[in-house]
Amino acid sequence: LTGTPERIVIDDGAGRIGGDLRLRVGDYVGWVNATGRTCKLMFREVEFGRDQPRYKGRVWPFEGRGPGGDLEVPSSGWCGQVKALEGGNGRSVDYVKYDVLVTGDGPSVDLDPVIIIDR
């Protein structure tokens, strides 16, 4: 989160800043929580089509066991390796919407970018 009003910043580490995040299976992605507040992420599968986005159930798009609920990003940060979603049915791309909720001192910030996962 940066700026006034606060907004999420997605930086690829090479100085390019964007909105949504595009990754390949096996890539690593990390979040840094420099807000001094509680920052939680919730991941849901999303499908795009003629009827606009259709949000499906929660997913854990990373290797290993998920937290069993929202991922609370510590001030030290968090990093995970991207995996293909189960039941891809021949799709070459998965879409994961992740809600970012920042709470604590000051107004709550609720954001909703997308991770695009190439197989």
Side-chain angles (χ1 to χ4, degrees):
L1 283 166
T2 187
T4 304
E6 292 178 312
R7 61 187 177 90
I8 194 167
V9 175
I10 298 173
D11 183 341
D12 68 359
R16 292 184 298 267
I17 297 174
D20 297 331
L21 180 63
R22 187 174 195 107
L23 301 164
R24 291 194 174 279
V25 169
D27 285 350
Y28 287 87
V29 62
W31 283 269
V32 176
N33 181 5
T35 65
R37 298 161 60 183
T38 299
C39 180
K40 293 183 179 181
L41 307 179
M42 182 186 80
F43 302 92
R44 291 185 288 165
E45 185 175 5
V46 61
E47 291 181 346
F48 293 99
R50 288 185 293 163
D51 297 331
Q52 296 302 317
R54 188 178 81 140
Y55 299 104
K56 299 176 83 179
R58 285 185 179 225
V59 294
W60 182 246
F62 305 104
E63 295 294 336
R65 187 176 177 148
D70 297 344
L71 171 66
E72 187 169 330
V73 181
S75 59
S76 60
W78 183 90
C79 184
Q81 187 175 23
V82 177
K83 70 175 183 179
L85 298 186
E86 294 178 19
N89 298 327
R91 290 187 310 232
S92 60
V93 178
D94 293 318
Y95 296 93
V96 177
K97 178 183 180 302
Y98 66 102
D99 298 320
V100 180
L101 179 60
V102 178
T103 59
D105 293 337
S108 294
V109 181
D110 195 2
L111 309 157
D112 64 347
V114 172
I115 301 173
I116 303 160
I117 303 171
D118 289 322
R119 291 183 187 252

